[in-house]
Amino acid sequence: MATSKLLYFIKTISLALFATLMLSSAKNKSEQPNFIFIYADDLGYGDLGCYGNPTIKTPNLDLMASKGVKFTQFYVASPVCTPSRAALMTGCYPKRVGLHKGVLFPASTTGLNPKEITIADMLKKKGYHTACVGKWHLGHQAEFLPVSNGFDHFFGMPFSNDMSKKEQLKYGRKNYKYQLPVMSGKDTLELDPDQTQICKRLTKDAVSFIKKNKKNPFFLYMAHPMPHIPVYASEDFQGKSVRGEYGDAVEEMDWSVGQIINTLKKLKLDKNTIVVFSSDNGPWLPFKTHGGSAGPLRNGKGTTWEGGMREPCIMWWPGKIPEGKVCTKVTSTMDILPTFATFANAKLPAGLKIDGTDISDLLLNPDKKLNEERPFFYYAKMGEIEGVRLGAWKYKKNKGVDELYNIEEDISEKYNLASENEDKVTELKKLMLDFDEKMDAEAREVGSVEK
């Protein structure tokens, strides 16, 4: 009899513990935040209303900034597309993953090594549904596409919107033979699409993905092909911006952001979703009014001046991220992977070397004081290291000449203070060269279809 009661007691306790564990597991799953990262292409630091643009109307992004955190010293790891996107996906300087030597073209035979751990790989292991919608530009062969790098769903283009025969003819390049594909997964749906409809199509697909996964944790990487040259907008936005065609494209992209935010609110997912908006590099300045503006920053795309690598960044998470804050700390796209890992309670593989830092505490408390300043290294468009920033000081090698700027006091990099601060130049130059030497030693193999 005593044995029977004991067994009954043990069974009851076991069932109770099992129920508690299941409830806890369900609760933890429901508390997993969704992640949306929206990436513009070639958008300048000065192209949004909330960053001081006087003519381009960006009400949705402005509202997002007023209800979240606006970063004013947020960097990308390269001033051109492919290396910048590699850094975002992997949390590494592009040189570490072998994608530092410029952008990929339709004839390229390299891409993001599938052995690398992307944000999507990391979150997928935690039960997230993952989607890449828009421009990829990390390799167009099957082994390099998003669906080979942690994404369940891909709808978009494998490279830049100007990389097509139809577009290159406008620039007099008659021998250009490639066409721009629109892809679903690994399948090509069409070639050289009507680009005036691209933003609408991508937005529709992104909204559909959110709706389909409203009961699952999800990660949406939405990479707009605009406002990269050539700029396009749909009939609803053509001729509407006083900033011209460039403004039309940016204002439609802002509309797209609004569609995503409104979808989250309608589905009551907004308070459990982190939304981040930024740009892959600075504006393409040679195209005059067809390109963007870096605002007070010097130069633009393709350079290691601030205008090429300091980008707008807005983060929004209602009820978790404080409203209306401005964060002036130095941060970068490489911080996104470790930060998302913390919020998702995900662990990166032991021994994996990355260059980003978890900024989750800073995101929840933008006024937090950092224990120490960390350096940020400026790699040029073809992968050469050209500068380093530590605290307020930026050392830069410019055409063989050592230059030094107090980037806090001189945001436009007008006043070279190298001759007045020789010790600081020596210190930062050594820091830069030592880091690059270490990066050479630790660099991993790039993906290649030739091997």
Side-chain angles (χ1 to χ4, degrees), residues 35-37 129 131-133 206 209-210 218-222 260:
F35 300 98
I36 298 177
F37 192 98
H129 291 209
C132 172
V133 178
F209 173 79
I210 294 171
F218 64 80
F219 166 48
L220 169 62
Y221 170 47
M222 186 167 189
I260 288 175

Side-chain angles (χ1 to χ4, degrees), residues 135-333:
K135 174 182 171 179
W136 177 237
H137 214 171
L138 292 174
H140 62 277
Q141 287 87 356
E143 52 265 70
F144 307 139
L145 290 170
V147 289
S148 298
N149 282 284
F151 289 97
D152 301 310
H153 172 77
F154 169 50
F155 175 69
M157 289 71 66
F159 36 75
S160 294
N161 69 322
D162 65 333
M163 294 182 179
S164 76
K165 184 176 181 179
K166 185 170 73 172
E167 299 301 336
Q168 290 296 323
L169 281 173
K170 297 176 183 178
Y171 307 111
R173 301 186 181 112
K174 297 180 181 180
N175 295 325
Y176 195 92
K177 62 181 180 179
Y178 302 100
Q179 293 176 290
L180 177 67
V182 174
M183 303 186 73
S184 176
K186 295 182 180 181
D187 299 324
T188 297
L189 301 180
E190 63 182 293
L191 295 171
D192 284 338
D194 178 0
Q195 292 201 41
T196 66
Q197 302 305 306
I198 288 295
C199 185
K200 282 187 174 181
R201 293 175 66 184
L202 296 178
T203 303
K204 181 180 178 181
D205 191 76
V207 168
S208 175
F209 173 79
I210 294 171
K211 289 180 177 178
K212 288 178 181 177
N213 291 282
K214 61 184 179 182
K215 294 183 179 179
N216 306 301
F218 64 80
F219 166 48
L220 169 62
Y221 170 47
M222 186 167 189
H224 286 277
M226 296 292 151
H228 188 287
I229 301 297
V231 289
Y232 287 98
S234 69
E235 58 281 356
D236 292 337
F237 292 88
Q238 291 171 11
K240 298 297 176 64
S241 173
V242 297
R243 177 59 172 80
E245 292 180 0
Y246 185 87
D248 293 343
V250 174
E251 290 183 7
E252 182 164 30
M253 185 172 59
D254 177 78
W255 163 85
S256 174
V257 172
Q259 294 297 299
I260 288 175
I261 296 294
N262 290 337
T263 299
L264 294 174
K265 290 179 178 179
K266 287 178 182 177
L267 298 175
K268 300 188 185 305
L269 296 174
D270 51 318
K271 293 184 179 179
N272 195 40
T273 304
I274 301 172
V275 182
V276 182
F277 176 90
S278 190
S279 175
D280 66 340
N281 49 249
W284 215 349
L285 299 180
F287 291 89
K288 300 179 182 179
T289 59
H290 268 60
S293 167
L297 306 180
R298 183 172 176 177
N299 220 300
K301 177 178 179 174
T303 77
T304 52
W305 298 108
E306 292 296 286
M309 299 180 68
R310 193 193 295 202
E311 303 305 323
C313 179
I314 303 166
M315 299 194 191
W316 176 86
W317 189 8
K320 300 291 177 62
I321 294 177
E323 294 187 8
K325 290 287 186 176
V326 175
C327 181
T328 61
K329 310 297 190 301
V330 174
T331 47
S332 83
T333 50

Side-chain angles (χ1 to χ4, degrees), residues 113 255 448:
N113 195 324
W255 163 85
S448 175

Side-chain angles (χ1 to χ4, degrees), residues 29-35 128 217-218 272-274 317 343-344:
K29 187 174 181 180
S30 69
E31 289 179 349
Q32 285 181 292
N34 305 308
F35 300 98
Y128 280 74
F218 64 80
N272 195 40
T273 304
I274 301 172
W317 189 8
F343 285 130

